[in-house]
Amino acid sequence: MSLKIQYGIDLGVKPEKLQTLSEIVANATGSQINPWQPIVGSNIFSHESGIHTKGTLNNGKSFEPYDPSVMGRERHIIVGKHSGRASIKYALDQLQITCSDDEVQQLLQLVREVSMIKSSAITLTDVAMLCSTIKKGRQHGV
């Protein structure tokens, strides 16, 4: 990958096929691919940490050596206990929901609490439900 990305030297390797090839080899040898394994790990284009996510959304090269599309993959922004405002705003954009800065801050707190209770990241459906809860609370003066 380095030769191709940094120096434009094409060795004929199809990067979009590397993950599938690695999975075949892992299955054949009874081993597992670490999710953070460079190039072929399932999480290498996943971002949760607040500043990490903000940097990636502003400029993918901040935390990714190459665009995920080179590997036939997509970037994933995870919403969870380590998320920051950029992750929340990204999730809201994906859901086409508009929130005030105050609502975003409240949502961020709820997201962190819920993800710690669940011991996992939360879904966009969860974000929408939590946002709805905040907006209903505001309507009722809570």
Side-chain angles (χ1 to χ4, degrees), residues 14-28 33 39-41 71-73:
K14 295 181 176 146
E16 68 278 4
K17 303 285 186 185
L18 290 174
Q19 186 173 9
T20 302
L21 176 61
S22 294
E23 290 167 0
I24 291 168
V25 171
N27 287 334
I33 301 169
I39 300 176
V40 296
M71 300 298 294
R73 309 266 300 275

Side-chain angles (χ1 to χ4, degrees), residues 68-124:
S69 64
V70 170
M71 300 298 294
R73 309 266 300 275
E74 294 179 358
R75 177 179 297 127
H76 297 281
I77 303 301
I78 298 168
V79 180
K81 67 181 179 180
H82 299 294
S83 292
R85 293 172 59 87
S87 300
I88 300 301
K89 288 180 179 181
Y90 176 83
L92 292 170
D93 285 346
Q94 297 300 302
L95 293 162
Q96 298 179 334
I97 296 174
T98 304
C99 285
S100 68
D101 286 344
D102 189 46
E103 289 170 331
V104 169
Q105 189 59 41
Q106 286 181 304
L107 182 56
L108 176 58
Q109 288 306 117
L110 273 176
V111 162
R112 288 176 175 168
E113 290 172 21
V114 170
S115 66
M116 286 193 291
I117 291 167
K118 287 177 69 172
S119 295
S120 68
I122 66 171
T123 66
L124 288 179

